[in-house]
């Protein structure tokens, strides 16, 4: 339970610090139930909160963003001036509502600084869009406003598209529990586009399945010989003994591939396409042990190749998930929030949900029954900025920041979101940190109070293994959402489409074809989510004036090599939305990092860690790894408190190692013949290109 005693402002603790008053005590549920604070409302945090709530624990869920879901979440645009106004200037002109007076003041200040906003009227991502074909009057101002200004506010944006695999057993069980399993559609195809708008898509069906092996070998993504060589290398990787996993963790995927003399450069590119586009990790960096983990679970269940959602994640997953949590809770509360431009657009969904839940409980639930259930509080736009243990009481001291903007939507980390309020909590319950590696590394080295750093009081000093979180690396996957004005002459295939040999390792996904909220009887203009998995060459632009415009321009120019459209005239500029994801990087399963990744439990008895990077049997960064880590944290807390039944955790089955060794040995003799065929094919191609060079 949260402690109630407070130190006076003149007291001194064992470290010799003046102890600050606890000016904002942690939420006190005032029950005999264990109280758990979960920091981070991504899949891991929600999974932990859900299972602990089922087992009678009071939960406070803290989230820095205005929306839940983490890297799986969806949000609506909070700031209409993201691509027009430099961050520092925008923050200096904060108002409670983005009305005409605010816009006029904004433009006047920009002009004083030598910048003319009207010269940017053709810029991507503007609040207004002069080339919008339909305009309607604004009743309040009696002025003409482009319609896409209003439509933009209803556009949902995800971190990037997401695939869901058959072996995500713990995730699927959570989806069944919240009643949304029917929102997922099976997808058998992965499609590829070459840099030719007139070329037909290349279609691969259920990669990894024996039933489609010959079809995929001849589909055209590479020569049949190179496809065979790649599949043989994967069999050899899966055939390695589990006793060699430590050696594999110290070896990159590229090194493993090169250790087999039958491999060719073209056959190695296939693994690069998977790792670079799905995990933002080149083969020279990715751990071979982690790649083996990813493959061994998928090889057991290769059909269908994946599942995709039929709507954005807020409607399809997280609103129903919060409803389920509300059913479990006696008291369900969402703290209202506002952003720097007034009431947060994404959070309106949460506020409407809260009103619906409160009304339903008042009409259908018995007050005495609700009193017996545990309590749940969600606190959006709230950030944990520092943690330490009080050496006198053993309680957690938490530095709490209240924010006006979601940190993960900020284009660059060089201008982090500043807090509007800062408080210090004293908390004596269990704490689950379900935050990304960068945030965790900062927290374990920070203090909760404004005083000198004291190593013995930081979490890293109390548990030296947490120091290793500083060694964990991540990479952003940039996402550009683009709405077209008209259907494409050659419609994109449904589902994930990979762009072969593209700059920035790009792939596209047409939300208009998948989201039920966007589909209709007539062909709909594309709503593309364009992902750049190799975003490092673009990141330096994010910190520069007009840098977002440059990034948008470069991505659309590259996309036009694959899809027939004119970036200048065929897209709604006012609805173009860029996410650099600088604050929401994807953890890289790099070589020799397993021992640096945190475990669920720590040397601090009431501190637990969750997240897709935490050590789990899944190993590889996936939605399933996040779900399993959350369940492992819930079970660890349950064992600590002794309340409730054990939490079920499912480890996926794999094909027996002996069977994989037999399959690898049987295919190896043919690999050398395939290598000779591949080399002959490459020689003929080079000779042809020498005689008939491309223009």
């Amino acid at each position: 339970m949260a402690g109630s005693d407070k130190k006076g402002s003149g007291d001194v603790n064992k470290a010799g610090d003046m102890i600050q008053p606890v000016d904002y005590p942690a939420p006190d549920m005032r029950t005999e139930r264990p109280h758990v604070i979960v920091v981070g409302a991504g899949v891991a945090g929600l999974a932990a909160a859900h299972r602990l709530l089922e087992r009678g624990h009071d939960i406070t869920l803290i989230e820095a963003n205005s929306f839940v879901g983490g890297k799986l979440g969806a949000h609506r645009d909070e700031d209409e001036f993201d691509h027009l106004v430099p961050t520092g200037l925008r923050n200096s002109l904060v108002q409670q509502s983005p009305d005409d007076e605010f816009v006029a003041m904004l433009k006047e200040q920009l002009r004083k600084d030598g910048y003319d906003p009207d010269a940017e009227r053709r810029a991507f991502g503007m609040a207004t869009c002069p080339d919008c074909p339909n305009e309607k009057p604004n009743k309040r101002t009696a002025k003409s406003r482009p319609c896409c200004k209003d439509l933009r506010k209803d556009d949902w944006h995800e971190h990037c598209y997401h695939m869901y695999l058959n072996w995500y057993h713990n995730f699927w069980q959570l989806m069944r529990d919240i009643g949304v399993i029917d929102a997922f559609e099976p997808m058998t195809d992965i499609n590829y586009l070459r840099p030719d708008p007139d070329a037909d898509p290349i279609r691969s069906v259920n990669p990894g399945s024996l039933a489609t092996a010959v079809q995929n070998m001849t589909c055209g993504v590479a020569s049949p010989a190179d496809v065979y060589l790649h599949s043989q290398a994967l069999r050899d990787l899966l055939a390695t003994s589990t006793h060699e996993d430590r050696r594999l963790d110290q070896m990159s995927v590229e090194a493993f591939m090169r250790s087999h003399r039958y491999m060719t450069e073209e056959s190695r590119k296939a693994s690069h396409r998977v790792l670079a586009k799905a995990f933002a990790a080149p083969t020279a960096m990715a751990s071979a042990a982690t790649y083996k983990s990813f493959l061994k679970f998928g090889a057991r269940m290769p059909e269908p190749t994946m599942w995709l959602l039929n709507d954005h994640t807020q409607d399809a997953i997280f609103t129903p998930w919060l409803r389920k949590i509300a059913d479990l809770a006696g008291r369900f509360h969402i703290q209202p929030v506002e952003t720097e431009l007034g009431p947060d657009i994404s959070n309106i969904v949460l506020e409407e949900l809260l009103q619906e839940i409160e009304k339903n409980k008042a009409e259908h639930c018995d007050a005495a029954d609700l009193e017996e259930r545990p309590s749940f509080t969600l606190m959006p736009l709230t950030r944990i900025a520092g943690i330490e243990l009080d050496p006198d009481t053993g309680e957690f001291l938490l530095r709490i920041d209240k924010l006006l903007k979601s940190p993960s939507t900020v284009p660059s980390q060089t201008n982090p979101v500043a807090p509007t309020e800062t408080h210090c909590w004293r908390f004596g319950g269990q704490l689950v940190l379900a935050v990304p590696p960068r945030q965790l590394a900062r927290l374990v080295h920070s203090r909760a109070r404004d005083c000198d750093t004291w190593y013995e009081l930081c979490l890293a000093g109390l548990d030296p293994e947490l120091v290793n979180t500083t060694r964990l690396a991540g990479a952003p996957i940039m996402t550009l959402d683009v709405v077209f004005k008209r259907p494409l002459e050659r419609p994109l295939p449904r589902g994930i489409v990979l762009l072969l040999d593209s700059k920035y390792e790009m792939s596209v996904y047409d939300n208009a074809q998948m989201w039920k909220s966007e589909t209709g009887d007539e062909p709909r203009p594309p709503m593309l989510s364009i992902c750049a998995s190799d975003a490092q060459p673009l990141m330096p632009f994010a910190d520069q004036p007009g840098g977002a415009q440059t990034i948008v321009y470069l991505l659309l120019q590259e996309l036009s090599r694959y899809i027939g459209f004119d970036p200048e005239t065929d897209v709604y500029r006012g609805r173009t939305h860029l996410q650099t994801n600088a604050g929401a990087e994807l953890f890289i399963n790099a070589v020799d990092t397993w021992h640096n990744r945190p475990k669920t439990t720590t040397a601090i008895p009431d501190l637990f860690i969750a997240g897709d990077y935490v050590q789990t049997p899944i190993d590889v960064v996936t939605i399933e790894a996040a779900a399993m880590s959350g369940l492992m944290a819930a079970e660890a807390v349950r064992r600590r408190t002794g309340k409730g039944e054990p939490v079920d955790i499912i480890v996926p089955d794999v094909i027996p190692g002996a069977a994989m060794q037999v399959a690898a040995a049987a295919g190896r003799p043919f690999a050398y013949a395939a290598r000779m065929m591949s080399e002959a094919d490459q020689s003929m191609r080079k000779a042809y290109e020498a005689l008939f060079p491309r223009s």
Side-chain angles (χ1 to χ4, degrees), residues 50-51 168-179 181 624 631 648 650:
H50 184 163
R51 292 306 187 217
Y168 287 8
H169 299 308
N170 295 289
F171 176 78
W172 292 130
Q173 187 57 56
L174 287 165
M175 297 302 100
R176 292 187 189 94
D177 289 352
I178 66 178
I181 198 70
E624 175 67 358
L631 300 182
D648 291 332
I650 307 169

Side-chain angles (χ1 to χ4, degrees), residues 306-349:
M306 69 180 72
W307 299 74
L308 297 177
L309 269 178
N310 63 13
D311 213 337
H312 58 82
T313 56
Q314 179 63 49
D315 279 357
I317 294 178
F318 295 111
T319 295
W321 203 339
L322 290 175
R323 284 199 183 98
K324 177 63 178 180
I325 286 175
D327 289 340
L328 298 170
R331 176 183 177 273
F332 179 90
H333 177 66
I334 301 175
Q335 185 180 74
V337 298
E338 286 195 351
T339 67
E340 61 185 33
L341 292 178
D344 177 67
I345 298 175
S346 296
N347 194 247
I348 289 173
V349 175

Side-chain angles (χ1 to χ4, degrees), residues 198-269:
D198 296 325
D200 292 328
I202 298 171
R203 175 171 169 261
S204 175
V205 182
N206 289 333
S209 171
L210 290 176
T212 58
V214 175
Q215 177 181 349
N216 292 333
M217 195 179 299
T218 58
C219 71
V221 70
S223 72
D226 287 316
V227 174
Y228 179 83
L229 290 174
H230 174 249
S231 62
Q232 178 60 38
L234 300 188
R235 286 191 291 270
D236 280 327
L237 179 58
L238 289 171
T240 56
S241 169
T242 55
H243 299 295
E244 296 187 74
D245 284 352
R246 176 58 181 154
R247 178 181 68 87
L248 289 178
D249 186 51
Q250 296 176 321
M251 177 185 293
S252 70
V253 175
E254 181 73 10
F256 180 86
M257 297 292 181
R258 288 184 179 274
S259 70
H260 293 78
R261 299 182 62 184
Y262 56 74
M263 291 296 288
T264 64
E265 182 179 354
E266 289 299 316
S267 61
R268 292 195 302 271
K269 285 183 179 180

